[in-house]
Amino acid sequence: MLPSKNPMTDGALTIGIVGGTGKMGRAIFHESLNREDMSTSLILARRADLLEADRSFTAADQEARSPIQFLTTVDKPSCRVMIDFSHPSMMERYVPALLRSPTPLVIGTSGVRDHPGFAGIEQLSRYAPVLAATNVSLGMSILFHMVKEISKLMPISYHAEVLDIHQRTKREAPGDTAKKLAQTLAECRGKAHQAEFPIVMNGESRGEGDLSIGVQALRLGYGVGEHTVYFAGPGERLELTHRVFDRSILAKTVLSAAEWIVDQAPGLYDMNDFYGII
Ligand SMILES: NC(=O)C1=CN([C@@H]2O[C@H](COP(=O)(O)OP(=O)(O)OC[C@H]3O[C@@H](n4cnc5c(N)ncnc54)[C@H](O)[C@@H]3O)[C@@H](O)[C@H]2O)C=CC1
Ligand SMILES: O=C(O)C1=N[C@H](C(=O)O)C[C@H](O)C1
């Protein structure tokens, strides 16, 4: 680890941001500037993104309390905790370094669990604490809890569907949260009714007695994220919606989660562990 030479940052928790050029990465960096007890020491991104973002990075560097390393590959982590909100392909650029020098990690990038690089994350979790966070919002952790409870009560004849709405440029459609909501519905409804509830993407018209759980995605506009779980039966429909209005609230939570994860024992954690939700 690089020692801090700046009295302003001595004792501060140093963070590395993978995907620091992206919407979440920038939000996390800017929130870190509001934290006296934190300091960004490393930003990892693709070369093209670093070059494109050159001007704003110069400004970011000037705004920061200590010098930032801008890297395309990490050889030795110069941070106490790494934070990854990027693309699954980025894992190969820093996970080997974290394995060599076990370093706590918060990873919120979508699609990582389906990527071969996740084996490295699982390996890392044997030596350092890792928080793999599909969705960092408190409201979303509570929504998952509600979905589990409602699934026990909802009759088998009621149809369940998930709608995922995100900004036009989001890469995944549907996203990880929507898929995980559908999996949770399938598991919990399956257990409650001793039946199989298949998951279908972009579900078309189905028979009334079809138990499948459809997942739909809309990609439009510039907002953050919105998920709705529907339960519909004769003459009624229950809708549970979670909306994020501002990325800065996600970034604040990520920093609190980073602070939390450094104090945990090695292992793979999720946001329920952070929030203390069973
Ligand atoms: N867990 C959670 O609560 C949240 C998760 N996310 C996830 O975090 C990730 C980043 O989200 P945003 O910042 O909105 O995305 P973005 O598109 O604004 O930024 C993506 C970042 O990844 C980097 N990158 C590296 N390789 C890439 C590739 N092959 N293709 C595209 N980008 C590449 C880009 O340089 C950039 O820094 C996504 O997977 C998103 O779903 C976003 C918000 C909340
Ligand atoms: O890309 C995003 O923005 C988000 N992605 C995550 C997902 O799709 O699960 C979480 C959140 O909805 C924001």
Side-chain angles (χ1 to χ4, degrees):
M1 193 181 297
L2 296 181
S4 162
K5 292 273 168 53
N6 184 341
M8 289 283 284
T9 58
D10 272 352
L13 180 69
T14 47
I15 61 169
I17 308 174
V18 184
T21 55
K23 290 182 284 298
M24 269 304 284
R26 280 165 191 269
I28 293 165
F29 172 71
H30 285 292
E31 282 306 322
S32 78
L33 296 176
N34 298 326
R35 299 269 318 235
E36 293 278 311
D37 54 350
M38 285 193 175
S39 164
T40 300
S41 57
L42 184 164
I43 284 178
L44 177 70
R46 290 183 300 182
R47 185 172 303 282
D49 298 324
L50 285 175
L51 292 174
E52 262 175 48
D54 198 29
R55 256 187 323 158
S56 59
F57 270 148
T58 307
D61 214 358
Q62 281 165 0
E63 234 184 305
R65 287 185 295 269
S66 61
I68 304 172
Q69 278 187 302
F70 296 97
L71 301 175
T72 54
T73 308
V74 179
D75 290 326
K76 196 169 186 296
S78 62
C79 56
R80 175 92 173 80
V81 56
M82 193 71 101
I83 299 174
D84 178 351
F85 283 77
S86 63
H87 183 272
S89 63
M90 292 300 276
M91 286 187 285
E92 68 191 33
R93 297 179 183 224
Y94 73 91
V95 175
L98 299 202
L99 281 167
R100 285 193 296 274
S101 296
T103 305
L105 169 69
V106 175
I107 181 161
T109 302
S110 293
V112 289
R113 283 178 185 273
D114 301 326
H115 191 276
F118 199 72
I121 301 284
E122 286 174 321
Q123 201 186 337
L124 174 65
S125 71
R126 289 188 218 126
Y127 309 101
V130 175
L131 174 58
T134 308
N135 191 308
V136 298
S137 304
L138 171 61
M140 184 52 74
S141 282
I142 294 173
L143 177 59
F144 272 98
H145 183 74
M146 289 166 78
V147 162
K148 288 178 193 161
E149 292 302 313
I150 291 171
S151 295
K152 294 180 198 158
L153 305 172
M154 205 50 84
I156 190 167
S157 59
Y158 277 53
H159 307 135
E161 299 262 331
V162 176
L163 174 64
D164 149 342
I165 304 178
H166 280 89
Q167 66 278 5
R168 184 65 139 200
T169 56
K170 179 171 169 60
R171 291 177 58 86
E172 312 81 15
D176 275 7
T177 306
K179 288 195 255 179
K180 196 169 160 199
L181 281 167
Q183 279 156 12
T184 304
L185 282 163
E187 274 165 37
C188 296
R189 301 198 83 198
K191 209 163 153 194
H193 299 293
Q194 300 296 306
E196 202 169 318
F197 290 79
I199 297 170
V200 295
M201 300 295 162
N202 307 314
E204 293 175 359
S205 172
R206 283 156 281 163
E208 198 185 308
D210 186 316
L211 297 183
S212 61
I213 295 163
V215 186
Q216 320 286 337
L218 298 184
R219 294 290 175 261
L220 72 172
Y222 306 89
V224 187
E226 177 171 331
H227 295 90
T228 301
V229 177
Y230 298 90
F231 292 94
E236 64 172 347
R237 186 169 69 225
L238 174 62
E239 303 183 1
L240 300 164
T241 298
H242 175 260
R243 287 191 190 97
V244 178
F245 298 105
D246 186 347
R247 222 167 250 110
S248 70
I249 188 69
L250 301 180
K252 282 191 181 84
T253 305
V254 170
L255 293 179
S256 301
E259 212 172 15
W260 176 82
I261 199 72
V262 294
D263 290 333
Q264 306 309 309
L268 193 54
Y269 298 85
D270 66 20
M271 287 308 283
N272 284 348
D273 298 313
F274 170 70
Y275 287 123
I277 295 174
I278 299 156

